């Protein structure tokens, strides 16, 4: 950050297991889906405590730092979390944070693994989303002693501007300045200055006077020491209107009993920790989106959000293209985006707008707009991937000029079909044909992506016409995004009536059962007859032994 602030956490092997859906995955995912938190991922530094954790960190996050802890037996369960070696590891962390302050960096320390919690089976992994029982209160973030803080809203606006050292409280007693508040070292914001450096050095040295105690217990003892007052440091405890314990009284929040009972169901399997009030995803609104809220610019210097979040533009020039993606993942929905494509000479450019999951066997639903020379039509390229298999291209020349104004491009995706629309006219339908062995994208949640990039090796007339940079920068514009969709978070869908955190009745989601009526099918046949310029099912050179199996079934 501009003021040299970093977010720092620590990681060991236990918190990276299993390979997917680990505590580390949940921690990172909370940044991606939170309100205003994705950009904070760029400032997150993960300190790995063992080689296996470091390898997993490097695979999943760009900013990883390894420290040598080979002489310590790191805990793999709650039972040995407070062994002498592990307590010493906590003190190594204090020494590390002191060094960070001495280098001039402010930091937010965000612990997500004070107790190692292994999801050792599918049932245990699935238990995590089942902890949410919210049906009325949507402002919640889960954190427990195995994952103390989950980031779903930017906390920086709620930090005290005058504090040198501000920290979470186990038992908040109403005043942020009262040292009788019980400090919890799992989350704190510390500014780099002489006072905080002296505090950390004194804190570290005080372990000698309190053998066997961890860093948090020692802090709760030394905070009353006259030396703390003498160094002139301002200590404040975070207001429970925004950060709170589940079982403590919450000042500034109405009806803590209702929040506790509707957000979380107590179980002995999970040790509950701290709640940071933020918006937990439910079914997304069908109203127009604000790009600041629902999307993050992920690459390229030319992407910008304008008009208070109402418009987003992507640029392409000689230095490169640009792109963005949704903060949330979806599993089925009706997705609409109004797009105005690159005007004039756009040959060699591709404007991609699509849904996609992750992994080697990914699912994907594509709109790609292939540019052309001035006066010649864009080619709208569509494709559907299921379990990593695509090659289902259909291409169209639109019946309108997509560069002079915004037009709506929609994807309706439910368990039975995928339908592509342009200005509410269906142009293609891909049906679920699993009964004849054709994979269908129905099990993997997907994000929305869009990008503008140089594809002049193939995009225009098979790559014969290249980009002409004298027309750069090339600009595509986006507005009026809406998603009437099921949000996927922590292993469950907000449209699943069996999901404990769902506040949605899926019966109200008409698109979940939608199919084209006779009038819409006629419109689609008109598009196919008059505007479809390529159909993979009719490409005999490409498939000399006959078209793919789905082509033999009415898939329109």
């Amino acid at each position: 950050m501009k003021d040299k602030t970093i977010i720092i956490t620590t990681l060991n092997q236990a918190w990276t297991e299993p390979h997917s859906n680990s505590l580390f995955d949940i921690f990172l995912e909370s940044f991606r889906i939170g309100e205003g938190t994705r950009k904070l991922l760029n400032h997150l530094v993960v300190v790995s405590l063992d080689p296996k954790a470091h390898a997993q960190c490097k695979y999943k996050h760009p900013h990883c730092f390894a420290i040598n802890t080979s002489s310590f037996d790191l805990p793999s369960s709650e039972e040995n979390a407070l062994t002498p070696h592990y307590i010493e590891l906590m003190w190594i962390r204090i020494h590390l944070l002191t060094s960070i302050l001495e280098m001039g960096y402010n930091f937010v320390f965000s612990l997500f693994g004070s107790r190692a919690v292994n999801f050792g089976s599918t049932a245990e992994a699935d238990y995590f989303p089942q902890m949410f029982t919210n049906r009325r209160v949507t402002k919640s973030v889960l954190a427990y002693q195995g994952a103390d803080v989950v980031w779903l809203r930017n906390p920086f606006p709620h930090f005290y501007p005058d504090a040198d050292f501000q920290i979470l409280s186990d038992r908040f007693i109403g005043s942020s300045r009262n040292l009788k508040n019980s400090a919890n070292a799992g989350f704190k914001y510390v500014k780099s200055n002489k006072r905080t450096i002296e505090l950390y050095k004194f804190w570290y040295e005080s372990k000698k006077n309190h053998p066997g105690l961890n860093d948090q217990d020692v802090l709760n003892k030394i905070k009353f020491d006259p030396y703390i007052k003498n160094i002139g440091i301002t200590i404040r405890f975070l207001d429970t209107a925004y950060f709170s314990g589940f079982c403590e009284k919450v000042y500034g929040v109405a009806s803590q009993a209702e929040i506790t009972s509707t957000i979380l169901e107590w179980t002995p399997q999970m040790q509950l920790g701290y709640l940071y009030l933020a918006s937990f995803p439910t079914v997304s609104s069908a109203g127009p989106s604000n790009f600041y809220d629902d999307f993050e610019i992920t690459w390229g210097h030319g992407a910008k959000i304008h008009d208070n979040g109402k418009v987003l533009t992507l640029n392409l020039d000689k230095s490169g293209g640009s792109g963005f993606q949704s903060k949330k993942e979806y599993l089925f929905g009706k997705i609409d985006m109004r797009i105005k494509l690159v005007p004039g000479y756009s040959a060699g450019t591709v404007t991609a707008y699509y849904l996609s999951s992750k992994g080697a066997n990914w699912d994907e639903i594509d709109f790609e707009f292939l540019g052309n020379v001035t006066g010649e039509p864009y080619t709208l390229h569509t494709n559907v991937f299921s379990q990593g298999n695509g090659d289902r291209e259909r291409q169209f020349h639109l019946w309108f000029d997509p560069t002079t104004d915004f037009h709506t491009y929609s994807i309706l995706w439910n368990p039975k079909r995928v339908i592509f629309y342009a200005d509410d006219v269906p142009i293609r339908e891909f049906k679920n044909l699993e009964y004849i062995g054709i994979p269908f994208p129905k099990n993997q949640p997907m994000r929305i992506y869009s990008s503008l990039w140089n594809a002049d090796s193939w995009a225009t007339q098979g790559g014969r016409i290249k980009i002409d940079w004298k027309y750069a920068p090339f600009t595509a514009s986006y507005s009026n995004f809406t998603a009437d969709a099921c949000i996927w978070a922590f292993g469950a869908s907000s449209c699943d009536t069996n999901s404990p955190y769902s506040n949605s009745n899926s019966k109200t989601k008409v698109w979940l059962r939608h199919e084209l009526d006779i009038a819409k099918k006629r419109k689609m046949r008109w598009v196919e007859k008059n505007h479809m310029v390529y159909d993979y099912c009719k490409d005999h050179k490409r498939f000399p032994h006959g078209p793919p199996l789905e082509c033999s079934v009415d898939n329109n």
Side-chain angles (χ1 to χ4, degrees):
M1 302 180 192
K2 291 182 179 180
D3 64 348
K4 295 187 69 175
T5 297
I6 62 173
I7 302 166
I8 190 165
T9 192
T10 54
L11 180 69
N12 76 16
Q13 178 186 348
W15 308 325
T16 65
E17 296 175 343
H19 181 68
S20 60
N21 296 324
S22 67
L23 289 177
F24 187 45
D25 291 316
I26 292 168
F27 181 73
L28 294 178
E29 183 66 10
S30 71
F31 280 85
R32 298 186 186 107
I33 68 175
E35 294 182 4
T37 54
R38 185 176 183 86
K39 61 186 178 182
L40 299 179
L41 265 178
N42 296 329
H43 308 286
L44 172 66
V45 177
V46 180
V47 178
S48 307
L49 305 180
D50 60 71
K52 291 185 178 180
H54 191 55
Q56 283 295 308
C57 181
K58 290 193 295 182
Y59 177 73
K60 296 177 179 180
H61 187 67
H63 309 305
C64 303
F65 178 81
I67 60 175
N68 185 3
T69 59
S70 57
S71 62
F72 296 95
D73 294 322
L74 299 184
S76 59
S77 66
E78 181 180 341
E79 285 72 19
N80 63 345
L82 294 179
T83 62
H85 280 169
Y86 190 66
I87 291 174
E88 183 59 24
L89 188 62
M90 295 181 185
W91 288 108
I92 291 175
R93 187 174 66 207
I94 295 297
H95 189 269
L96 172 67
L97 295 176
T98 305
S99 299
I100 291 172
L101 292 173
E102 289 176 328
M103 289 188 288
Y105 287 94
N106 312 318
F107 65 81
V108 177
F109 179 76
S110 180
L111 182 65
F112 74 98
S114 62
R115 291 177 185 163
V117 176
N118 266 314
F119 291 140
S121 67
T122 301
E124 291 172 322
D126 289 343
Y127 184 78
F128 186 86
Q130 293 173 8
M131 292 175 65
F132 291 89
T133 58
N134 179 23
R135 282 176 172 77
R136 299 185 304 281
V137 180
T138 62
K139 292 188 174 181
S140 64
V141 168
L142 170 73
Y144 53 94
Q145 285 298 86
D148 282 293
V149 179
V150 176
W151 292 58
L152 289 182
R153 178 176 286 175
N154 185 347
F156 282 87
H158 303 294
F159 288 142
Y160 304 109
D162 63 337
D164 298 309
F165 178 93
Q166 44 198 301
I167 191 167
L168 204 61
S169 176
D170 272 329
R171 299 176 186 86
F172 190 74
I173 59 177
S175 170
S176 65
R177 299 181 186 274
N178 193 328
L179 292 178
K180 292 182 180 180
N181 285 298
S182 178
N184 184 290
F187 186 83
K188 48 189 172 286
Y189 176 37
V190 185
K191 296 177 182 177
S192 174
N193 56 43
K194 291 182 179 180
R195 297 179 295 277
T196 56
I197 293 170
E198 284 299 312
L199 169 66
Y200 266 77
K201 288 181 176 179
F202 180 64
W203 189 359
Y204 184 81
E205 290 298 321
S206 296
K207 72 172 184 172
K208 298 176 183 177
N209 300 324
H210 304 281
L213 294 186
N214 63 31
D215 56 339
Q216 177 175 298
D217 292 340
V218 171
L219 176 62
N220 277 311
K221 291 182 177 295
I222 66 170
K223 63 187 179 184
F224 301 104
D225 195 290
Y227 181 80
I228 301 296
K229 183 177 181 180
N230 291 339
I231 63 178
I233 191 169
T234 302
I235 298 175
R236 297 188 69 174
F237 295 86
L238 293 168
D239 190 343
T240 53
Y242 304 103
F243 308 83
S244 71
F246 282 115
C247 299
E248 283 73 53
K249 183 176 180 181
V250 176
Y251 292 81
V253 177
S255 185
Q256 167 68 3
E258 180 184 35
I259 291 176
T260 301
S261 64
T262 59
I263 289 175
L264 204 61
E265 183 178 44
W266 169 264
T267 67
Q269 288 88 349
M270 293 292 181
Q271 300 294 322
L272 303 184
Y274 297 91
L275 171 70
Y276 173 64
L277 296 183
S279 292
F280 190 80
T282 57
V283 180
S284 66
S285 169
S289 165
N290 184 294
F291 283 99
Y292 284 118
D293 294 337
D294 286 336
F295 291 92
E296 292 288 349
I297 293 169
T298 50
W299 63 281
H301 68 279
K304 294 181 180 179
I305 298 175
H306 312 268
D307 196 13
N308 295 318
K310 294 179 181 179
V311 176
L312 185 150
T313 56
L314 294 180
N315 279 359
L316 166 66
D317 58 24
K318 277 189 174 182
S319 66
S322 50
F324 64 89
Q325 72 178 47
S326 63
K327 294 181 180 179
K328 300 178 178 69
E329 289 183 297
Y330 305 92
L331 186 62
F332 307 128
K334 175 68 161 50
I335 309 294
D336 304 304
M337 183 80 79
R338 289 181 62 79
I339 304 174
K340 183 165 67 173
L341 298 175
V342 176
Y345 189 100
S346 58
T349 70
V350 169
T351 305
Y353 160 56
Y354 59 102
L355 293 166
S356 182
S357 64
K358 301 175 182 177
N361 297 315
W362 79 101
D363 294 338
E364 188 172 319
I365 302 170
D366 288 344
F367 277 112
E368 289 185 314
F369 302 89
L370 315 184
N372 214 332
V373 297
T374 304
E376 293 298 319
Y378 263 84
T379 297
L380 171 53
H381 176 101
T382 65
N383 203 353
V384 177
F385 288 77
S386 49
Q387 298 180 23
N389 297 313
D391 298 331
R392 301 184 177 102
E393 302 91 345
R394 282 184 177 164
Q395 297 181 340
F396 305 85
H397 286 167
L398 296 165
W399 54 95
F400 52 83
D401 185 345
T403 70
T404 58
D405 202 353
F406 287 91
H407 292 269
T408 303
Y409 303 93
S410 308
I411 296 170
L412 187 147
W413 171 36
N414 66 32
K416 297 295 184 182
R417 54 188 42 84
V418 173
I419 305 174
F420 297 78
Y421 293 86
D423 282 346
D424 202 35
V425 175
I427 63 173
R428 179 180 182 180
E429 181 179 20
F430 183 81
K431 292 180 180 177
N432 186 335
L433 300 176
E434 289 178 305
Y435 70 93
I436 60 171
I438 307 300
F440 183 82
K442 70 173 189 178
N443 297 316
Q444 300 187 66
M446 297 195 261
R447 293 188 192 275
I448 301 164
Y449 297 86
S450 191
S451 57
L452 175 57
W453 51 291
N454 177 0
D456 66 3
S457 62
W458 62 273
T460 305
Q461 297 183 27
R464 290 189 295 274
I465 300 181
K466 306 296 184 181
I467 284 183
D468 189 339
W469 293 112
K470 73 181 181 183
Y471 295 103
F474 304 99
T475 302
S477 303
Y478 302 76
S479 71
N480 292 84
F481 163 75
T482 60
D484 187 5
C486 303
I487 295 172
W488 184 268
F490 302 115
S493 167
S494 58
C495 289
D496 183 357
T497 55
N498 294 319
S499 171
Y501 72 85
S502 171
N503 66 351
S504 160
N505 182 353
S506 63
K507 293 181 180 180
T508 66
K509 299 299 172 186
V510 177
W511 47 264
L512 271 173
R513 295 164 301 282
H514 179 78
E515 58 184 88
L516 295 175
D517 58 23
I518 294 176
K520 290 291 188 181
K521 286 183 178 179
R522 286 175 179 168
K523 286 186 177 182
M524 188 168 64
R525 301 299 184 200
W526 173 81
V527 172
E528 291 173 348
K529 180 180 179 180
N530 296 282
H531 296 280
M532 188 163 65
V533 296
Y534 176 79
D535 181 359
Y536 75 108
C537 286
K538 298 177 182 179
D539 191 337
H540 304 297
K541 291 183 179 180
R542 184 177 174 188
F543 302 107
H545 301 295
L549 181 58
E550 67 266 22
C551 297
S552 63
V553 181
D554 180 17
N555 197 20
N556 284 316

